[in-house]
Amino acid sequence: MGNHKFIISGGGTGGHIYPAIAIANELKSRFPKAEFLFVGAQDKMEMQKVPQAGYAIKGLWIAGLQRKLTLQNLLFPVKLISSLWKSRAIIKSFKPDVVIGTGGFASGPLLQMANSLNIPTLIQEQNSFPGITNKLLSKKANKICVAYENLERFFPNEKMILTGNPVRQDLIDIDSKRAEAIQYFNLDPSKKTLLILGGSLGARRVNQLIEKELDFFASQNVQIIWQCGKFYLDEYKKYDLNNNQQPATNIQVLAFIDRMDLVYAAADFVISRAGASSVSELSIVGKPVIFIPSPNVAEDHQTKNAKSIVDKNGALMIKESELDENFNSVFSDLVANENLQKQLSENIKKLAKLNATKDIVDEIVKLIKK
């Protein structure tokens, strides 16, 4: 079996990048001599994150279509054609066995070209409601690995396989890390801990809610780890325990959390956006969650992701438009109701798919053998 070569494309947000890297790592452990090349959008975070993970990446000059008429939109056809040509050149010179797409702008032109050059392609769709790129690509893709049921209306059924989303392996046994986590974040072991996750870039509306409700949280006797996102750190770091001599409650404000395993181990309750990777992680972690889906994403897929868990009694959800009227009562009911906490935990854990990365790579290996 000569040296295998894989091109992987995914990016724009952590939710597309992490699965792409997880798939590469698993392929590498099975084929230590394999060669890998990532393809991303040239001004997005994958251009930093992928090299940090030890892989080479090439950038395409591509962006999404904006909803309104802008210069970006007028440039879109030019960028698309440029990206298709560059994708073709990359594929011709690298000669991959399989091309893998995990979503994000760059995966569109790249997989389109791979399809037209008859190279096997696999799509990994993280969301319960696919975006337009993957719907178009699915017609020619050889395999589509999905994380949610009932996607037949978007994708050809015979190509689909339910694998789940790749998640960090270090989240699988967090119960044993609780003591270490409490020490790491310097928490009070006698208090309950609330973890707030706004996604890799942060979430304005969630941050505004937390700021407004700081006295309410103090009255609920919870301590807080607040991941506010890098764009918002300057605005909210004044509430951090270390900057504030007499905080109403113990609060830590962080742009980004390095040790997700420990922060999940420490948390008793989680308030989170409902991006696909967060939903998949939280299913493995199994803590009681209140989802606040972002309404500003394509096809409102975060609401659909959250609903797929809520419908199975695995989490609570509050829409942004209903936060002012409902948040306090939903949160205080959850804190007071241990039966509900237990029920949510047990139900969300049933939805976890622990072997997703391995199952996706099994499908990629079948495509090589063809």
Side-chain angles (χ1 to χ4, degrees):
M1 289 187 79
N3 284 357
H4 292 307
K5 293 180 159 195
F6 301 102
I7 293 185
I8 303 178
S9 179
T13 64
H16 295 310
I17 299 168
Y18 182 76
I21 292 171
I23 291 168
N25 291 344
E26 173 68 20
L27 280 166
K28 196 175 191 167
S29 73
R30 295 197 203 183
F31 304 109
K33 293 203 172 90
E35 287 181 57
F36 295 89
L37 178 62
F38 278 70
V39 174
Q42 91 198 357
D43 55 348
K44 296 285 186 197
M45 62 197 267
E46 56 265 30
M47 302 310 288
Q48 283 80 46
K49 298 274 186 223
V50 168
Q52 281 166 8
Y55 295 101
I57 185 164
K58 292 195 165 171
L60 302 180
W61 186 47
I62 186 80
L65 271 169
Q66 311 296 318
R67 304 225 166 136
K68 42 195 184 297
L69 188 66
T70 58
L71 179 63
Q72 284 290 344
N73 276 359
L74 296 174
L75 278 172
F76 181 78
V78 186
K79 289 187 173 185
L80 183 61
I81 290 162
S82 138
S83 298
L84 284 164
W85 276 109
K86 190 164 181 188
S87 296
R88 184 187 167 91
I90 289 170
I91 292 167
K92 288 248 179 189
S93 74
F94 191 77
K95 302 188 174 60
D97 296 287
V98 182
V99 174
I100 300 139
T102 63
F105 299 141
S107 62
L110 186 83
L111 271 81
Q112 183 65 36
M113 259 309 153
N115 288 333
S116 70
L117 294 167
N118 290 324
I119 289 161
T121 59
L122 176 138
I123 296 172
Q124 195 262 322
E125 172 55 64
Q126 291 110 29
N127 287 298
S128 57
F129 198 87
I132 190 162
T133 310
N134 278 356
K135 280 188 263 187
L136 292 171
L137 292 171
S138 69
K139 297 182 178 49
K140 294 221 175 111
N142 298 66
K143 244 323 163 219
I144 305 155
C145 295
V146 297
Y148 292 95
E149 291 154 349
N150 311 321
L151 294 185
E152 298 77 24
R153 60 190 200 281
F154 305 112
F155 294 143
N157 207 5
E158 67 284 358
K159 295 179 180 180
M160 249 193 318
I161 174 154
L162 182 69
T163 56
N165 283 324
V167 283
R168 301 162 219 254
Q169 293 304 295
D170 61 4
L171 300 183
I172 287 169
D173 174 34
I174 58 162
D175 295 345
S176 63
K177 299 181 184 175
R178 189 161 170 104
E180 184 192 345
I182 283 172
Q183 200 181 346
Y184 183 88
F185 287 104
N186 204 357
L187 296 165
D188 175 347
S190 67
K191 278 190 167 181
K192 296 278 194 193
T193 300
L194 167 65
L195 168 63
I196 294 137
L197 298 173
S200 49
L201 303 172
R204 175 178 295 278
R205 184 66 185 86
V206 173
N207 288 339
Q208 288 168 339
L209 170 81
I210 303 308
E211 180 176 45
K212 181 174 151 255
E213 301 298 351
L214 288 176
D215 289 340
F216 165 71
F217 290 126
S219 75
Q220 294 292 312
N221 201 24
V222 292
Q223 53 198 344
I224 297 179
I225 299 174
W226 178 3
Q227 182 256 319
C228 65
K230 62 175 184 181
F231 295 138
Y232 301 103
L233 185 64
D234 289 345
E235 198 175 337
Y236 295 109
K237 66 175 181 224
K238 61 176 181 258
Y239 296 112
D240 186 275
L241 185 66
N242 302 314
N243 297 322
N244 185 345
Q245 296 321 301
Q246 291 165 319
T249 178
N250 175 354
I251 303 176
Q252 297 176 50
V253 183
L254 304 161
F256 192 78
I257 297 168
D258 289 320
R259 289 295 304 271
M260 288 305 289
D261 57 331
L262 293 183
V263 87
Y264 283 132
D268 296 287
F269 310 103
V270 184
I271 292 173
S272 178
R273 282 298 200 204
S277 54
S278 303
V279 173
S280 300
E281 284 185 0
L282 289 163
S283 305
I284 285 178
V285 167
K287 299 288 170 94
V289 184
I290 299 174
F291 285 117
I292 303 176
S294 169
N296 337 317
V297 291
E299 288 135 1
D300 200 19
H301 64 248
Q302 287 204 2
T303 300
K304 294 169 178 126
N305 293 346
K307 218 174 151 334
S308 67
I309 307 281
V310 173
D311 289 346
K312 294 181 176 162
N313 294 323
L316 305 171
M317 172 172 89
I318 311 175
K319 291 188 168 167
E320 278 197 357
S321 55
E322 294 165 5
L323 282 172
D324 289 337
E325 51 194 288
N326 295 343
F327 178 76
N328 290 16
S329 61
V330 171
F331 186 78
S332 46
D333 288 351
L334 175 62
V335 173
N337 186 340
E338 286 188 11
N339 275 343
L340 176 61
Q341 293 166 27
K342 217 169 102 189
Q343 185 192 342
L344 293 175
S345 265
E346 285 167 8
N347 288 336
I348 199 170
K349 273 187 169 161
K350 289 178 196 153
L351 304 174
K353 303 214 167 27
L354 298 175
N355 296 321
T357 313
K358 195 180 122 322
D359 294 345
I360 292 164
V361 170
D362 288 346
E363 294 303 319
I364 295 169
V365 171
K366 287 180 202 164
L367 292 180
I368 302 175
K369 293 187 173 147
K370 281 186 181 164

